[in-house]
């Protein structure tokens, strides 16, 4: 294919999700010239139209779908990995707990998994910076959340009526229910309004929920920043010394290959596409570990009908959790988990209408009878890194550019995770019993959460990791892999905040060199 | 019968059931919009199933037009439903061959009851049915045929699901400040 034009930048950042945006922000503010490449388009400015779609149970965002091959449990890329300016943060849950101190030393403390190449204490200042950047509201109740060097940027959201109802029962059982840090405004912050509970967060119309297109839009005011939309990266090229040098992309506008030549390249395209791109470029797999050890957070829900009327479908997001069952003494034997009270419990009016055989007044009576009378408890479980959970290149499927698609082989629930699941179900059942709930059952079996971790793990030893602790590829100088794929272990905390924190650490250390 | 034959048989039954549970539309049919007459019939149906006599007809028309224009098979589903509703009144002496849209609200409801037997939402179904993954709506989906299946499981379902995501639909459960507003703290 002919190459149309080569641009020049000091740093090329591929991907405009929270991690790519965070890297670009630090670099641009330090005076570096950055070119950002994003495969998708700008989200529509009419965010209320998106909200309406979300409220009507339609998919709010439309983007070029991923082609990929799935073996075992499906990672649901087309649900969780959006290709638009802002990436998956346009449609995320914006739940941003930090990892706990023990999560960084899983192997040392419990003899399973791996240790991270740095401690919680070393990452803590970057956690603070990440929370300021995204705007996190939280309570930080000790001893359940790890120590902090500064308060949250915003106060925590108050618990919903459903949370308080569950909290009463949990208090009696000695299960502390605490607030959940979230990247949405509990008060006006960073020029954005506070949350007014439209309850369809995936299409937050007033910017109360953080999405990284907000950061990128601010960067666009700088002359040191260039944004290329519709730029589908197809290859990374190295120079004669083996250092990363060029990002080759196909512009959707003309279908031609273009290039950005840069001193450093940051790939921030989530843990699956990062691997696919590197394997297809023939770089970064010197250790043979690239693509091995894919982790998820198996999540499951239980539901029970209660004798109360709760504010279901009114709040929009999770506000109460417990960490009691996570860092437990037998973590070496079975998975721990973070239990949460789910918002939007039980069927909403449209859900009832969809599968009821009533109509007219009888249907309305049925809706009133069912609405708001359920509690749903959910949990993220810890999954260990297994070398045979992999991302490789498909030998049968091609993507839209005729390149090999990703082949994702994932087995979500093995012995460690299944034992953790059973233990967590027992704890949830105790809570449902204390609530006097009836008809208690598993609503959703363990499934993926869209948290793709571990595929290019970082570490101090080039023989056992893909990048160093600064996220630079051991065998491709100048190539930085900024995704949750860098995590050596996955913990039970939603990974975006930690992903942004390690990316900020990467960017600051890049500047010092 | 060998294990392999049994597995193959199970696979075939599963595939037939899956098709029966998912395929409602004839996607080879054209897209487009309903005539004004057909819209009147759909509105007459909608008033009864949503139990809302005042819902703006123009708002419904916009929604239906969008669906029939955008998604292959939907126009055909609505057309078949209109024919079914009109023919159902023709077959009943009581309604003296009047078109469905000309019947009173109560008469239209009686036509629907003559066509369909109501069943409860799965949350009210016995646990064993849910465990068997055969909640009432799935059973109904398997048992209904032809235009009745299309009317009940596509058209009525689509109209009701849409209605209960509108402001007037949410008001049924007390959402008076649709789509959102800070709750009183």
């Amino acid at each position: 294919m002919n190459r149309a034009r080569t641009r020049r930048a000091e740093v090329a950042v591929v991907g405009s999700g929270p991690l790519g945006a965070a890297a670009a922000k630090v670099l641009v503010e330090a005076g570096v010239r950055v070119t950002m490449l994003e495969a998708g388009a700008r989200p529509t400015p009419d965010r209320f139209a998106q909200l309406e779609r979300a409220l009507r149970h339609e998919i709010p965002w439309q983007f070029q779908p991923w082609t990929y091959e799935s073996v075992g449990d499906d990672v649901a890329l087309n649900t969780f990995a959006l290709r638009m300016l802002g990436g998956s943060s346009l449609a995320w849950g914006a739940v941003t707990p930090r990892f706990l101190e023990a999560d960084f030393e899983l192997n040392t403390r419990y003899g399973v998994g791996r240790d991270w190449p740095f401690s919680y204490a070393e990452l803590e200042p970057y956690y603070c910076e990440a929370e300021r950047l995204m705007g996190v509201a939280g309570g930080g109740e000790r001893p359940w959340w790890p120590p902090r060097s500064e308060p949250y940027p915003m106060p925590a959201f108050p618990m919903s009526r459903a949370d308080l109802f569950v909290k009463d029962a949990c208090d009696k059982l000695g299960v502390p229910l605490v607030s959940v840090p979230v990247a949405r405004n509990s008060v006006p912050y960073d020029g954005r309004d506070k949350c007014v509970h439209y309850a369809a967060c995936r299409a937050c119309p007033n910017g109360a929920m953080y999405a990284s297109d907000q950061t990128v839009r601010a960067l666009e005011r700088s002359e040191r920043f260039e944004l290329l939309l519709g730029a589908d990266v197809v290859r990374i090229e190295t120079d004669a010394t083996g250092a990363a040098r060029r990002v080759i992309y196909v512009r959707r506008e003309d279908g031609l290959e273009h290039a950005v030549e840069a001193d450093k390249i940051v790939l921030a395209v989530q843990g699956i596409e990062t691997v696919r791109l590197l394997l297809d470029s023939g770089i970064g797999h010197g250790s043979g570990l690239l693509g091995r050890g894919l982790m998820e957070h198996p999540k499951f829900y239980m539901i029970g009908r209660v004798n109360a009327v709760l504010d279901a479908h009114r709040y929009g997001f999770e506000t109460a959790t417990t960490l009691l069952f996570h860092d437990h003494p037998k973590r070496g034997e079975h998975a721990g988990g973070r239990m949460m009270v789910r918002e939007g419990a039980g069927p909403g009016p449209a859900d009832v209408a969809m599968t009821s055989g009533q109509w007219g007044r009888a249907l309305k009576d049925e809706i009133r009878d069912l609405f708001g009378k359920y509690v749903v408890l959910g949990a993220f479980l810890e999954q260990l890194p297994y070398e045979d959970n992999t991302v490789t290149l498909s030998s049968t499927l091609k993507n839209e550019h005729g390149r090999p698609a990703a082949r994702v082989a994932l087995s979500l629930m093995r012995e460690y995770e299944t034992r953790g699941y059973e233990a967590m179900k027992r704890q949830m059942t105790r809570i449902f019993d204390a609530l006097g709930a009836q008809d208690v059952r598993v609503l959703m079996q363990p499934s993926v959460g869209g948290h793709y971790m571990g595929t290019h793990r970082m570490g101090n030893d080039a023989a056992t990791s893909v990048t160093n602790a600064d996220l630079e590829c051991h065998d491709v100088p100048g190539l930085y892999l900024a995704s949750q794929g860098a995590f050596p272990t996955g913990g039970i905390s939603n990974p975006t905040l930690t992903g942004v924190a390690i990316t900020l650490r990467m960017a600051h250390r890049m500047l010092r060199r | 019968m060998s294990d392999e034959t049994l597995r193959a048989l199970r696979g075939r039954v599963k595939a037939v059931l899956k098709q029966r549970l998912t395929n409602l539309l004839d996607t080879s049919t054209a897209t487009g919009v309903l005539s004004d007459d057909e819209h009147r019939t759909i509105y007459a149906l909608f008033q009864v199933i949503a139990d809302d006599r005042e819902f703006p007809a123009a708002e419904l028309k916009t929604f239906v037009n969008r669906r029939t224009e955008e998604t292959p098979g939907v126009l055909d589903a609505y057309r078949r439903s209109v024919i079914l509703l009109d023919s159902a009144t023709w077959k009943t002496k009581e309604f003296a061959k009047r078109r469905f849209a000309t019947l009173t609200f109560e008469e239209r409801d009686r036509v629907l009851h003559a066509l369909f037997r109501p069943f409860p939402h799965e949350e009210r179904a016995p646990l064993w049915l849910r465990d068997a993954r055969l909640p009432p709506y799935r059973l109904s989906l398997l048992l209904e045929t032809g235009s009745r299946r299309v009317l009940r499981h596509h058209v009525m379902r689509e109209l009701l699901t849409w209605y209960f995501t509108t402001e007037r639909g949410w008001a049924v459960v007390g959402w008076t400040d649709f789509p959102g507003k800070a709750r009183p703290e």
Side-chain angles (χ1 to χ4, degrees), chain B residues 12 67 105-106 158 160 162:
Chain B
R12 273 204 296 277
R67 293 288 301 133
F105 187 92
E106 288 71 22
E158 176 169 291
L160 285 170
W162 174 72

Side-chain angles (χ1 to χ4, degrees), chain A residues 51 53 55-58 158-161 194-199 303 311-315 347-371 374 439-441 443, chain B residues 48-53 59 63 66 109 112-113 116-125 127 130-131 136-137 152 156-157 160-166 168-170 172-173 175-183 185:
Chain A
L51 173 73
R53 289 175 69 89
L55 285 165
R56 290 193 172 157
H57 294 212
E58 294 171 26
M159 288 189 185
S160 69
R161 203 185 302 162
K194 74 169 190 172
C195 173
V196 290
H197 301 283
Y198 286 113
I303 189 170
D311 50 355
H313 302 269
R314 201 67 181 108
Y315 212 78
D351 305 317
V352 178
M354 205 179 290
T355 53
S356 174
Q358 308 280 355
W359 62 84
R361 188 169 299 168
L363 175 60
K364 286 184 172 173
D365 288 344
E366 190 167 54
I367 287 170
R368 285 189 204 98
D369 180 53
L370 293 172
F371 186 77
Y374 292 84
D439 199 6
V440 175
R441 63 197 188 278
L443 180 67
Chain B
V48 175
I49 61 176
D51 185 34
D52 189 339
R53 297 169 201 234
E59 203 177 314
F63 167 71
R66 181 164 67 81
D109 193 33
L112 289 180
H113 274 93
F116 304 120
R117 188 189 205 137
F119 56 80
H121 184 266
E122 61 179 299
E123 282 296 327
R124 298 166 130 195
L127 202 56
R130 271 183 276 155
D131 287 347
Y137 81 94
R152 180 161 217 186
M156 285 171 65
R157 193 173 174 194
L160 285 170
T161 306
W162 174 72
Y163 175 72
F164 284 107
T165 58
T166 64
R168 293 169 77 99
W170 273 108
V172 171
V173 292
W175 276 34
T176 51
D177 46 6
F178 179 87
K181 190 180 168 186
R183 67 192 186 129
E185 303 297 349

Side-chain angles (χ1 to χ4, degrees), chain B residues 1 7 16 22 27 32 39-40 44 56 64 77 101 106 117 133 137 161 167 173-174 178 185:
Chain B
M1 204 182 280
R7 258 200 307 277
V16 169
T22 49
T27 52
H39 269 299
R40 265 192 289 280
V64 173
E106 288 71 22
R117 188 189 205 137
R133 297 172 72 188
Y137 81 94
T161 306
E167 181 169 4
V173 292
F178 179 87
E185 303 297 349

Side-chain angles (χ1 to χ4, degrees), chain A residues 257-334:
Chain A
E257 276 195 1
H258 299 250
V260 176
E261 197 166 283
D263 302 328
K264 292 184 172 70
I265 296 167
V266 177
L267 283 188
V269 288
Q270 48 89 349
I272 292 171
E273 176 61 7
T274 300
V275 172
R276 193 208 67 76
L277 193 54
L278 293 188
L279 289 175
D280 195 30
S281 302
I283 56 172
H285 60 310
S287 63
L289 295 172
L290 182 64
R292 293 189 174 277
L294 171 65
M295 292 174 287
E296 255 283 351
H297 285 138
K299 68 172 179 190
F300 75 98
Y301 302 147
M302 288 182 77
I303 189 170
R305 187 174 161 100
V306 295
N307 191 20
V309 180
L310 305 170
D311 50 355
H313 302 269
R314 201 67 181 108
Y315 212 78
F317 53 94
E318 170 200 336
T319 47
T321 191
T322 183
L323 302 172
L324 185 67
F325 312 123
H326 171 40
D327 192 28
H328 58 86
K330 292 191 175 174
R331 200 170 162 191
E333 295 169 27
H334 69 80

Side-chain angles (χ1 to χ4, degrees), chain A residues 188-246:
Chain A
Y189 180 85
D190 199 22
R192 296 183 280 122
D193 282 342
K194 74 169 190 172
C195 173
V196 290
H197 301 283
Y198 286 113
C201 300
R202 288 192 162 221
C204 175
N206 70 341
M209 184 183 81
Y210 175 77
S212 58
D213 64 317
Q214 297 155 358
T215 304
V216 177
R217 279 206 307 269
L219 286 174
E220 283 184 277
R221 290 196 285 269
S222 168
E223 60 179 26
R224 292 188 297 278
F225 180 77
E226 179 185 37
L227 173 66
L228 305 177
L229 290 168
D232 234 340
V233 173
V234 291
R235 200 164 62 251
I236 306 297
E237 290 181 350
T238 54
D239 62 16
T241 68
R245 191 59 63 218
R246 276 173 301 278

